[in-house]
Amino acid sequence: QVQLQESGPGLVKPSETLSLTCTVSGGSISSYYWSWIRQPPGKGLEWIGYIYYSGSTNYNPSLKSRVTISVDTSKNQFSLKLSSVTAADTAVYYCARGIFPGNPLSPYYFDYWGQGTLVTVSS
Amino acid sequence: SYELTQPPSVSVSPGQTARITCSGDALPKKYAYWYQQKSGQAPVLVIYEDSKRPSGIPERFSGSSSGTMATLTISGAQVEDEADYYCYSTDSSGNHRGVFGGGTKLTVL
C-alpha cells in the first residue's frame, strides 16, 4: 500500500519561502507524476503542479513564478518550494501520486494522497 | 483559465437520491473524476473516467456525463455520505494542468 507523508514547518513568515517534503513509502517514486495540491481553510482544492520522476514539471500558471517542485529518487521524496508567501498562501498542503491513464480522454488524476499539512503564513 | 462549476450545496434526506453536477467546456473531450472529502480528511476518489467506481466504493455512487455536464449520483444517500464533493478534470488543450471544481457540500439529514 502506497503511503505519502508531508513534512515541513507549520509556520512561515510573510515574504519568505515555504518548503515542504513528501516521503513516499510502499512503492517506487518512478513512473508517476508527483503532485502538490492545496486547500485554504474553508475553501476548495487548488492544483499546484507536478513533477515526473525524471524531473519534468508542470505548474499552475497562477503560481508558476513562485513555485518549484523537485524530486529525489534516491530518498523516494519530492519537494515543494513556494517563494514570497503571503497570508493568501495559508492552506493545508497535500502531496499526491498522479497517474496518466494513457487515454486521450483521460486527464491525469490522483489515486493516493497524503494526510495534508497545515502551513500558516504569519509574522 | 479553465473552470469547472459546481453548485455550492445539495441537501437530501437519508435514503433519497443526491445529484451533484459539474459543468465545463472541455467535458465532452475529457473525462470527469469525483473526489469525496470528509471533514479533516484527505480527498478520496469515488468516480473516475466519468462513471467508473474504484474498488471499495459503494455501489450507490455512480457517475454520468453528457455534453458539458458531468453528474455524480448517490442513490439512497446515507448519513455517512455527508461530505464535500469535488469534480476534477483538465482542459482539452493538452497542457495537462489539473482543475478542480469549487466543491459541493452534501448535507444528508
Side-chain angles (χ1 to χ4, degrees), chain A:
Chain A
Q1 179 78 350
V2 174
Q3 293 185 314
L4 294 87
Q5 178 67 57
E6 305 89 350
S7 59
L11 181 63
V12 181
K13 290 182 168 55
S15 79
E16 295 189 344
T17 296
L18 177 159
S19 296
L20 295 173
T21 295
C22 182
T23 301
V24 180
S25 59
S28 172
I29 205 164
S30 299
S31 302
Y32 292 100
Y33 294 77
W34 301 98
S35 306
W36 289 97
I37 297 136
R38 71 179 183 177
Q39 185 172 36
K43 296 188 178 181
L45 300 166
E46 179 181 31
W47 177 77
I48 298 173
Y50 69 67
I51 187 165
Y52 190 48
Y53 78 102
S54 62
S56 61
T57 56
N58 193 4
Y59 300 138
N60 186 325
S62 68
L63 299 170
K64 187 174 183 178
S65 64
R66 299 193 292 130
V67 171
T68 302
I69 299 176
S70 58
V71 65
D72 187 337
T73 55
S74 67
K75 295 182 179 179
N76 249 30
Q77 293 178 334
F78 63 106
S79 299
L80 169 71
K81 291 188 185 298
L82 182 66
S83 64
S84 304
V85 297
T86 69
D89 295 310
T90 293
V92 173
Y93 285 76
Y94 294 99
C95 59
R97 189 177 82 169
I99 296 179
F100 272 96
N103 178 337
L105 291 174
S106 297
Y108 111 105
Y109 73 100
F110 320 103
D111 58 350
Y112 289 100
W113 296 63
Q115 65 186 22
T117 187
L118 175 63
V119 179
T120 301
V121 178
S122 175
S123 56

Side-chain angles (χ1 to χ4, degrees), chain B residues 3-105:
Chain B
E3 293 184 353
L4 294 170
T5 302
Q6 300 179 234
S9 63
V10 168
S11 183
V12 297
S13 299
Q16 288 189 327
T17 296
R19 292 182 179 85
I20 299 172
T21 59
C22 173
S23 64
D25 289 342
L27 290 180
K29 297 181 180 179
K30 289 292 187 185
Y31 288 131
Y33 292 69
W34 291 92
Y35 289 90
Q36 175 195 66
Q37 186 181 35
K38 295 184 178 179
S39 180
Q41 298 182 19
V44 172
L45 183 68
V46 293
I47 293 290
Y48 67 101
E49 294 184 355
D50 285 352
S51 60
K52 299 177 182 178
R53 202 173 46 250
S55 62
I57 301 302
E59 291 184 7
R60 63 180 179 272
F61 288 86
S62 63
S64 62
S65 186
S66 178
T68 59
M69 184 169 289
T71 302
L72 172 69
T73 300
I74 308 171
S75 303
Q78 306 294 308
V79 172
E80 60 262 33
D81 299 331
E82 188 163 292
D84 294 322
Y85 290 86
Y86 294 89
C87 62
Y88 168 85
S89 190
T90 62
D91 69 22
S92 56
S93 69
N95 62 32
H96 304 305
R97 292 170 182 156
V99 176
F100 289 95
T104 299
K105 170 65 178 178

